Amino acid sequence: MKIAILSRARTSYSTQRLKAAALDRGHDCKVLNTLRFAIDLSTNEPDLQFRGRPLSDYDAVLPRIGASITYFGSAVVRQFEQMDVYTPNTANGITSSRDKLRAIQILSRHDIGMPATAFARDRKDVLPAIERVGGAPVVIKLLEGTQGIGVILAPDKKVAEAIVETLQSARQNVLIQQFVAESRGRDIRALVVGDRVVAAMRRVAAGDEFRSNVHRGGSVEAVDLPAEFERTAVRCAQIMGLRVAGVDMLEGADGPLVMEVNSSPGLEGIERATELDVAGAIIDYIANQVSFPELDVRQRLTVSTGYGVAELQVHESADLVGKPIGESGLRDRDVTVLTLHRGTEVIPNPRDGRVLEANDRLLCFGKLEAMRDMIPARRKRRAKVRKLPPDALTLDD
Ligand SMILES: Nc1ncnc2c1ncn2[C@@H]1O[C@H](COP(=O)(O)OP(=O)(O)O)[C@@H](O)[C@H]1O
Ligand SMILES: [Mg+2]
């Protein structure tokens, strides 16, 4: 395959290792400086210019987008996606994981353990937010910090409140997080490639520092990852839309607590600590997947009027409970089940013979009208509003 590594750091350990791994395996590989692209939307096909010239054909790109160029870098990646060039990490995945709040919001509906976190803007909401995450000491984080910069431990409420106010006055958004003391300055970095963890290490903070980042002097050691940590790391990467990711977890009293998911994980620390060929695993994975460029499924499936994607819930009382999918009547109503979610388990392409259970969630494609009465009722939290008169709405046929 012909692969481009999108990176501004041509000589960094990670870039060099990835390039060498690709060349060793007989691939054609170039390192292209992300900032030298120009996105061309002037013709009727999406295109890219590199250093002022039309870019040649690539089968795959491996984005290594630094935090300082997230907006431009992810736009370049998105353009490659539009050109059907395979990328293990989508533009969407990169931008959602980069913002710590956004990442936690996305992960929060998927049963992933995370330190209690709050986000507040008004000064009146800051103290209650600190209380909600369990009171002082609390960790305060800039939404887009990396390498431990912008992560502060506040020993008491007054200091925490002052830090939040100071940062907000400097136009910085911050989140407030429970301090997980039992992890004692240690955390786990799991490197996910595709559907598995290919390497994992424990990072231990230096001295009385609580941040274990290597850039803050943390030391690293290989670790045999317990199954629960492995499952959590893989699920986080999948949910974020990242096929190459570094998932950071604290060792909480009740299991893994995810702090963040990195879309351009550094390879130096983890390869040194584990003596594993992580770069090779990444390149092999990409070579294997290159014929499946990312599709925005929802976008593609909702272009037929009246059809769309919806998640249906099997109510406890529904007569669907105990029935195989083939006899559920869904097919007759023009509804196809794409995946079945049962607790934390996901069953892709469930067969006709698969028997439905109460509280199963079915991700379906089909006639919106047919699915409407099966969509779980929203929990009502909003104040009542007056109904529109029936003639106020004109519906399309
Ligand atoms: N809630 C927390 N409780 C205890 N330690 C934490 C907490 N959040 C972060 N840390 C420590 O600080 C380090 C940096 O935090 P992280 O959220 O990963 O930010 P960064 O993007 O800067 O690496 C972590 O690796 C961990 O050692
Ligand atoms: Mg981190």
Side-chain angles (χ1 to χ4, degrees):
M1 69 174 164
K2 186 168 169 191
I3 179 170
I5 298 170
L6 308 183
S7 169
R8 292 167 70 204
R10 171 177 296 278
T11 56
S12 78
Y13 177 93
S14 302
T15 312
Q16 299 244 316
R17 283 280 302 129
L18 288 161
K19 182 171 182 187
L23 296 177
D24 277 352
R25 286 160 172 74
H27 302 301
D28 182 349
C29 179
K30 295 260 165 15
V31 177
L32 305 179
N33 180 343
T34 320
L35 292 183
R36 295 306 308 272
F37 283 96
I39 294 168
D40 187 357
L41 300 167
S42 63
T43 61
N44 48 14
E45 291 235 338
D47 213 345
L48 274 167
Q49 305 270 321
F50 184 70
R51 293 185 181 277
R53 307 237 301 272
L55 182 74
S56 60
D57 276 335
Y58 280 87
D59 302 306
V61 290
L62 174 53
R64 307 273 312 169
I65 309 294
S68 59
I69 60 155
T70 304
Y71 187 83
F72 188 77
S74 58
V76 170
V77 175
R78 191 177 308 114
Q79 190 72 355
F80 274 110
E81 288 171 40
Q82 299 304 319
M83 293 158 64
D84 291 332
V85 176
Y86 177 80
T87 172
N89 290 352
T90 59
N92 237 332
I94 295 167
T95 45
S96 338
S97 56
R98 181 96 349 125
D99 176 326
K100 291 184 165 71
L101 175 66
R102 203 200 279 199
I104 292 176
Q105 287 179 303
I106 294 171
L107 293 175
S108 67
R109 64 164 295 160
H110 291 271
D111 242 342
I112 304 274
M114 289 181 290
T117 304
F119 183 61
R121 185 62 195 271
D122 195 292
R123 55 175 300 169
K124 287 196 287 299
D125 297 325
V126 171
L127 278 178
I130 294 170
E131 291 302 339
R132 268 205 312 283
V133 303
V138 287
V139 176
I140 295 164
K141 294 188 187 182
L142 294 182
L143 292 199
E144 300 212 357
T146 55
Q147 308 182 345
I149 300 163
V151 177
I152 308 163
L153 181 58
D156 65 64
K157 275 192 298 200
K158 278 283 151 225
V159 177
E161 195 182 21
I163 294 171
V164 172
E165 280 181 9
T166 307
L167 291 169
Q168 283 185 345
S169 73
R171 294 181 170 275
Q172 294 291 331
N173 280 316
V174 294
L175 51 81
I176 299 163
Q177 195 165 72
Q178 162 206 9
F179 174 54
V180 182
E182 70 259 30
S183 78
R184 300 187 313 263
R186 309 182 318 165
D187 75 351
I188 300 278
R189 159 64 64 94
L191 215 130
V192 178
V193 177
D195 294 336
R196 63 198 187 98
V197 171
V198 298
M201 63 180 173
R202 178 178 285 123
R203 301 182 295 193
V204 184
D208 56 3
E209 173 62 63
F210 81 104
R211 297 164 298 177
S212 51
N213 301 67
V214 176
H215 286 93
R216 304 269 73 75
S219 57
V220 297
E221 62 195 38
V223 62
D224 233 344
L225 207 56
E228 200 190 355
F229 281 74
E230 180 159 4
R231 250 195 328 269
T232 301
V234 170
R235 262 170 61 74
C236 285
Q238 285 174 334
I239 294 163
M240 299 308 296
L242 301 172
R243 303 281 171 263
V244 174
V247 181
D248 291 350
M249 295 168 279
L250 291 167
E251 296 169 272
D254 299 321
L257 295 172
V258 175
M259 286 177 294
E260 59 163 354
V261 183
N262 295 278
S263 60
S264 303
L267 301 187
E268 187 165 11
I270 200 146
E271 285 197 339
R272 295 249 157 92
T274 62
E275 296 181 345
L276 290 169
D277 178 12
V278 177
I282 293 174
I283 298 295
D284 286 341
Y285 177 79
I286 295 174
N288 198 9
Q289 295 293 311
V290 81
S291 35
F292 300 107
E294 201 65 36
L295 292 176
D296 185 334
V297 180
R298 195 179 177 105
Q299 203 185 80
R300 301 276 172 106
L301 288 181
T302 48
V303 286
S304 331
T305 312
Y307 281 77
V309 183
E311 186 166 75
L312 311 181
Q313 173 129 26
V314 178
H315 293 290
E316 271 163 63
S317 57
D319 45 4
L320 287 179
V321 177
K323 274 202 184 137
I325 291 178
E327 292 168 29
S328 64
L330 287 168
R331 200 60 254 181
D332 305 330
R333 298 166 79 182
D334 216 0
V335 174
T336 306
V337 181
L338 304 172
T339 57
L340 189 164
H341 296 247
R342 181 170 289 165
T344 56
E345 192 192 3
V346 184
I347 302 158
N349 258 340
R351 301 292 158 112
D352 279 354
R354 171 75 66 173
V355 176
L356 295 172
E357 293 179 7
N359 299 318
D360 280 354
R361 282 164 297 129
L362 307 173
L363 183 71
C364 296
F365 172 69
K367 260 211 173 95
L368 292 172
E369 211 39 59
M371 295 190 286
R372 188 185 302 281
D373 53 337
M374 295 186 65
I375 292 176
R378 240 170 219 295
R379 276 180 295 161
K380 291 216 170 56
R381 311 186 70 164
R382 291 193 193 103
K384 276 208 172 128
V385 289
R386 272 189 308 127
K387 274 213 169 108
L388 283 176
D391 55 359
L393 282 169
T394 21
L395 291 171
D396 292 338
D397 309 331

